[in-house]
Amino acid sequence: METASELGDFLKSRRAALRPEDVGITPHPTRRRVSGLRREELAMLAGVSITHYTRLEQGRALSASDSVLDAIARTLRLTDDETAHLKDLARPTTANRPAAPRAEQASRSARQLLAAMSEVPALVLDRRNDILAWNRLGHALLAAHLPADSPETPATRPNVTRMLFLDERYRALYTDWHDEAQLAVASLRLIAGRHPDDRRLTELVGQLTVQCNEFASRWARHPVRTCTSGVKQLRHPLVGTMDLYFENLVIPGSSGQRLIAYTAEPGSPSEAALRLLGSATASEVGSTSAAV
């Protein structure tokens, strides 16, 4: 990805989101060409020279100090995630030369952990959201319509972001699909800013932009947000609606791999539904084994 243009697009989107009145500026009675803050207004409020800010927005600044970026972030009222994203774009850690794609694998210990979590749906994702491995219940919960061994083939393994926008059956799982879609794009934006040299990530964004207008429109608005835990409401075709807590656990030393696990409130209808799903899928596995 072109980090310089990404930085400019991000800053412009955040300038456009702030009205002069929001920051104590009384607009001149003559007509403004922009509804948001002008470059010179932002530079003045942040205490940065207009020349330096313009070069930064155009991707021509060779470096920017923490104090300058923090001042711009405060003026634009950026969140912590957005501020981190601004710094990633302004000071990329690697050259913008795509790295050769590398197929990742879940470690043996991670796979053993998944297998041991027999009553908890769980899966391992890489930073691009490719599914590297899942346990039986994780497969049953999220993608029973796909072969259980599909994560084992790097070239065609499932990707949860791609499925969210292009796989109707996976998409139908989420009762609030629009919120899930917005979070998925915002999280992907954050990762893309940290890894501008990741060719496979660039290819994923390109594919989704071309094939899905809903993704493209959200991506163009440059949302940035991360989410490590929370509650998702899923509408499963076999056992109905469930409210499930989830946790993202980063696996140390794995280049951004993480384990995601889902649990239900003890004694709740969601826990009963999850147990029913476990029993149903265990029966299917037993029937298949007996037939073999």
Side-chain angles (χ1 to χ4, degrees):
M1 296 184 185
E2 292 294 332
T3 307
S5 63
E6 292 290 319
L7 174 61
D9 290 345
F10 178 61
L11 287 170
K12 290 172 188 175
S13 72
R14 294 310 183 265
R15 277 200 296 115
L18 277 180
R19 300 176 304 167
E21 301 92 326
D22 296 333
V23 292
I25 295 176
T26 302
H28 194 274
T30 58
R31 184 176 180 181
R32 295 171 61 93
R33 290 190 300 172
V34 296
S35 58
L37 286 182
R38 294 174 173 144
R39 283 177 178 169
E40 59 268 25
E41 291 169 339
L42 174 58
M44 177 192 69
L45 291 169
V48 179
S49 75
I50 180 59
T51 300
H52 186 57
Y53 177 76
T54 299
R55 288 175 62 85
L56 182 66
E57 192 171 283
Q58 292 176 345
R60 296 188 294 117
L62 296 179
S63 63
S65 66
D66 274 342
S67 60
V68 167
L69 296 176
D70 287 338
I72 293 172
R74 286 193 299 270
T75 303
L76 291 174
R77 302 181 180 180
L78 301 186
T79 65
D80 289 345
D81 286 338
E82 290 171 332
T83 300
H85 184 62
L86 170 63
K87 293 179 179 179
D88 287 334
L89 295 179
R91 296 182 306 209
T93 56
T94 57
N96 291 331
R97 182 177 61 189
R102 180 174 63 87
E104 294 190 41
Q105 301 291 338
S107 68
R108 181 177 180 180
S109 57
R111 292 172 181 274
Q112 290 175 343
L113 179 59
L114 288 179
M117 300 168 68
S118 59
E119 297 182 1
V120 176
L123 62 160
V124 172
L125 304 178
D126 67 9
R127 70 185 180 212
R128 308 172 192 92
N129 287 332
D130 283 349
I131 300 175
L132 305 182
W134 48 24
N135 61 10
R136 176 180 56 81
L137 199 50
H139 172 236
L141 176 68
L142 298 177
H145 61 290
L146 299 179
D149 63 352
S150 56
E152 303 304 321
T153 306
T156 58
R157 64 177 33 138
N159 176 283
V160 294
T161 306
R162 184 185 293 112
M163 289 195 299
L164 187 65
F165 287 94
L166 302 181
D167 184 326
E168 289 298 329
R169 279 180 284 190
Y170 183 77
R171 176 177 177 143
L173 283 174
Y174 294 90
T175 59
D176 190 350
W177 180 86
H178 291 284
D179 184 68
E180 187 68 21
Q182 188 68 8
L183 177 58
V185 173
S187 299
L188 197 64
R189 268 289 187 188
L190 198 62
I191 297 300
R194 291 174 184 167
H195 303 280
D197 59 340
D198 189 323
R199 186 187 303 171
R200 291 177 64 87
L201 184 57
T202 300
E203 291 170 352
L204 172 64
V205 172
Q207 178 195 18
L208 291 173
T209 300
V210 170
Q211 296 185 11
C212 183
N213 290 333
E214 291 169 310
F215 177 89
S217 63
R218 285 177 165 82
W219 187 259
R221 292 195 290 270
H222 217 128
V224 178
R225 180 185 165 198
T226 188
C227 186
T228 57
S229 62
V231 180
K232 295 184 186 295
Q233 187 175 79
L234 302 181
R235 187 189 301 110
H236 196 276
L238 186 61
V239 297
T241 301
M242 295 178 283
D243 293 318
L244 299 180
Y245 294 85
F246 70 94
E247 289 286 341
N248 274 279
L249 307 174
V250 176
I251 302 174
S254 63
S255 300
Q257 292 183 16
R258 64 198 191 278
L259 185 149
I260 302 180
Y262 297 86
T263 59
E265 188 74 30
S268 67
S270 296
E271 183 186 45
L274 199 56
R275 287 181 176 175
L276 179 60
L277 179 62
S279 299
T281 54
S283 298
E284 290 176 3
V285 172
S287 298
T288 302
S289 300
V292 174

